[in-house]
């Protein structure tokens, strides 16, 4: 069975934790998009792991993990991450493989990324990891893939500095190279997780373009990035937080007002630890945007939602969520493509009473306080999508299932 896990907001929803949680029953994990600009945090038995390239299921010894064709891979960052895992006692050798169709991030791409964003009239807010430039080189047919490392003519085309950078990594990269289509064909009948990066609202086509990532972070990207057909995907899980966050520039209709709502802004950011895993940048925070979430559900065929960070609201007396936008006097429940519309959209909010209870020890829907159940139920009803998993803390075990995944 093939299960896709994507972010249903602007990234940072807790995908890494959910993949790690579900990986106890899987045999394979495929990361299908993104690069070292993504940060997935996992907390197991109080120990925190920050992963950027390696799929989150690596902590489970029963899993083989693959870096997919849709990824762009910085060899320096990859092997630094693998060294970190080894130092922490994670035996990864023989369990981490790379699609021969994945593209490689060269050092000069990082500076090109930064310079290009700086020159834009409306900067995107790039992480400066060379991701956008690598994807641009890929689309222009000037990139270099793992498979090309043994193609002499292609290697000869590279600048001397690029060849020098790649030289110490060549043997290790080639030893991990696989034909991912063949690998997943052989894995038929196994439980396979497809791990996305960023979120649906940052997808190149479905997101808030141009303030998006350069890769495919939608569920459809799982098929392309994993080198399989779309009919081989059995289920899509969309991960979202009990509120909204965003890193970088771009519209965010439900963002808290930094001046009039500074106390709430600070509370959510600090309680939710809303700082980028990759950059350390503080995340923008706001009310749960149900208009955007429902759009993500519909445009990604999300079968079940995964709710995280519900516990962040434990001490609040009142909670609000956005159920519609007022755009220039017109009320709509549809998520627009127009950035101009999104920038002036005012959230229409629905009030919910808080539960004023610590949720950390809850291990089932039935044990949630009535107010939390009401919040969960409304989200599901509004989006027309059932909530299958709820997370009430950072540790792997602070999670419970409402709907069986496998």
């Amino acid at each position: 069975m093939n299960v896709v896990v994507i972010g249903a907001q602007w990234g940072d929803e807790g995908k890494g934790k959910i993949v790690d949680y579900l990986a106890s029953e899987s045999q394979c994990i495929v990361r299908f998009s993104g690069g070292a600009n993504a940060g997935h945090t996992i907390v197991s038995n109080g120990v925190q792991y920050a992963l950027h390239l390696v799929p989150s299921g690596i902590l489970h010894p029963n899993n083989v993990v693959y870096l997919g064709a849709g990824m762009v891979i910085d060899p320096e960052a990859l092997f630094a991450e693998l060294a970190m895992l080894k130092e922490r006692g994670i035996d990864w050798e023989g369990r981490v493989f790379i699609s021969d169709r994945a593209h490689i991030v060269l050092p000069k791409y990082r500076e090109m990324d930064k310079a290009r964003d700086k020159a834009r009239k409306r900067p995107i807010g790039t992480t400066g990891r060379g991701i956008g430039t690598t994807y641009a080189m890929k689309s222009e047919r000037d990139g270099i893939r793992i498979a090309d490392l043994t193609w002499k003519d292609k290697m000869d085309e590279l600048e001397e500095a690029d060849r020098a950078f790649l030289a110490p990594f060549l043997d290790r990269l080639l030893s991990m190279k696989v034909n991912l289509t063949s690998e997943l064909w052989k894995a038929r009948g196994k439980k396979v997780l497809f791990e996305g990066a960023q979120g649906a609202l940052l997808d190149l086509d479905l997101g808030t373009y141009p303030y998006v990532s350069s890769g495919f972070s939608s569920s459809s990207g799982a098929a392309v990035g994993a080198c399989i057909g779309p009919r081989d995907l059995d289920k899509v899980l969309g991960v979202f937080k009990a509120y909204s966050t965003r890193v970088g520039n771009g519209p965010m209709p439900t963002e808290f007002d930094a001046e009039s709502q500074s106390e709430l802004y600070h509370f959510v950011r600090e309680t939710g630890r809303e700082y980028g895993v990759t950059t350390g940048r503080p995340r923008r925070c706001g009310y749960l945007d149900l208009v955007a979430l429902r759009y993500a559900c519909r445009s990604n065929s999300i079968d079940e939602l995964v709710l995280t960070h519900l516990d962040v609201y434990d001490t609040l007396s009142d909670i609000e969520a956005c159920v519609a936008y007022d755009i220039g006097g017109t009320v709509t429940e549809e998520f627009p493509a127009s950035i101009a519309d999104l920038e002036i959209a005012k959230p229409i909010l629905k009030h919910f009473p808080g539960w004023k209870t610590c949720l950390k020890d809850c291990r089932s829907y039935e044990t949630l306080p009535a107010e939390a159940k009401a919040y969960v139920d409304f989200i599901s009803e509004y989006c027309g999508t059932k909530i299958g998993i709820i997370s009430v803390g950072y540790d792997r075990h602070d999670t419970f299932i409402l709907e069986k995944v496998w």
Side-chain angles (χ1 to χ4, degrees):
M1 183 177 186
N2 295 330
V3 176
V4 180
V5 179
I6 64 166
Q9 296 170 305
W10 282 283
D12 310 307
E13 304 95 345
K15 297 179 296 297
K17 176 193 172 174
I18 299 306
V19 170
D20 170 72
Y21 179 74
L22 296 174
S24 62
E25 295 186 54
S26 67
Q27 290 84 47
C28 300
I29 316 287
V30 182
R31 166 85 178 272
F32 64 83
S33 66
N37 59 332
H40 294 171
T41 303
I42 301 165
V43 180
S44 177
N45 297 319
V47 179
Q48 180 170 305
Y49 299 84
L51 301 176
H52 302 276
L53 288 164
V54 180
S56 301
I58 190 63
L59 301 186
H60 294 271
N62 52 298
N63 279 285
V64 173
V65 305
Y66 298 97
L67 282 68
M71 290 189 66
V72 291
I73 298 166
D74 182 334
E76 192 171 51
L78 173 62
F79 289 107
E81 193 167 304
L82 291 172
M84 176 275 292
L85 288 170
K86 189 171 184 178
E87 288 172 4
R88 295 193 178 197
I90 305 300
D91 183 14
W92 63 265
E93 283 92 345
R95 294 198 298 124
V96 180
F97 300 96
I98 309 172
S99 168
D100 51 11
R101 297 177 183 274
H103 278 247
I104 295 172
V105 179
L106 296 173
K108 63 185 179 185
Y109 294 169
R110 301 172 199 158
E111 295 308 314
M112 291 168 68
D113 234 8
K114 295 173 186 175
R116 187 168 187 176
D117 203 45
K118 187 176 181 180
R120 287 187 174 105
K121 291 182 178 179
R122 296 182 181 85
I124 305 300
T126 175
T127 61
R129 299 300 176 100
I131 307 305
T133 298
T134 308
Y135 276 118
M137 298 295 283
K138 174 181 178 178
S139 66
E140 292 174 3
R141 283 87 74 194
D142 290 321
I144 180 167
R145 305 171 303 162
I146 297 294
D148 301 331
L149 295 176
T150 56
W151 183 11
K152 185 178 183 302
D153 290 348
K154 180 65 175 180
M155 293 295 285
D156 287 345
E157 292 174 5
L158 296 179
E159 295 178 5
E160 185 176 346
D162 296 331
R163 291 196 297 271
F165 167 75
L166 290 170
F169 303 114
L170 286 177
D171 290 343
R172 284 181 285 175
L173 288 171
L174 292 172
S175 71
M176 299 162 71
K177 173 177 70 75
V178 295
N179 180 320
L180 189 51
T181 301
S182 296
E183 293 296 308
L184 292 183
W185 183 260
K186 290 184 287 187
R188 285 174 301 157
K190 294 184 177 181
K191 295 175 180 176
V192 183
L193 283 166
F194 295 76
E195 177 182 357
Q198 286 83 45
L201 300 177
L202 291 176
D203 182 80
L204 186 60
D205 287 314
L206 299 178
T208 52
Y209 187 90
Y211 301 100
V212 292
S213 181
S214 299
F216 298 106
S217 49
S218 60
S219 59
S220 57
V224 178
C227 304
I228 61 173
R231 288 193 295 175
D232 288 328
L233 303 177
D234 299 301
K235 182 180 287 188
V236 178
L237 304 182
V239 186
F240 76 103
K241 284 187 281 207
Y243 48 91
S244 298
T245 65
R246 180 167 192 163
V247 173
N249 300 330
M252 184 181 174
T254 65
E255 184 172 10
F256 299 138
D257 185 278
E259 294 183 8
S260 64
Q261 296 176 301
S262 60
E263 186 175 344
L264 180 59
Y265 212 134
H266 179 79
F267 170 82
V268 171
R269 178 179 284 166
E270 297 305 318
T271 307
R273 305 183 196 179
E274 297 299 348
Y275 294 89
V277 178
T278 302
T279 63
R281 289 185 294 182
R283 296 176 185 140
R284 298 157 63 189
C285 302
Y287 301 109
L288 174 61
D289 190 334
L290 289 171
V291 176
L293 182 61
R294 183 166 65 183
Y295 166 74
C297 289
R298 292 175 175 177
S299 59
N300 287 272
S301 297
I302 292 175
D303 295 292
E304 295 171 13
L305 286 165
V306 179
L307 171 57
T308 66
H309 287 63
L310 186 60
D311 55 299
V312 169
Y313 279 160
D314 280 357
T315 61
L316 297 186
S317 300
D318 299 287
I319 297 165
E320 291 179 293
C322 172
V323 295
Y325 298 152
D326 181 335
I327 302 176
T330 299
V331 175
T332 180
E333 293 184 8
E334 301 300 324
F335 188 76
S338 168
I339 296 299
D341 284 349
L342 285 169
E343 285 179 338
I344 64 170
K346 296 178 181 178
I348 296 175
L349 303 173
K350 178 176 174 59
H351 171 267
F352 299 86
W355 41 90
K356 301 288 285 184
T357 304
C358 179
L359 301 184
K360 188 171 179 61
D361 294 328
C362 292
R363 288 298 177 268
S364 69
Y365 171 81
E366 289 71 27
T367 57
L368 291 173
E371 295 83 359
K373 288 180 184 176
Y375 189 58
V376 170
D377 292 346
F378 183 84
I379 294 169
S380 179
E381 180 181 352
Y382 184 97
C383 294
T385 307
K386 57 189 173 184
I387 292 177
I389 301 175
I390 295 178
S391 169
V392 291
Y394 288 97
D395 198 85
R396 176 188 293 165
H397 303 294
D398 298 333
T399 314
F400 55 89
I401 290 180
L402 288 72
E403 298 284 342
K404 187 176 180 181
V405 173
W406 301 108

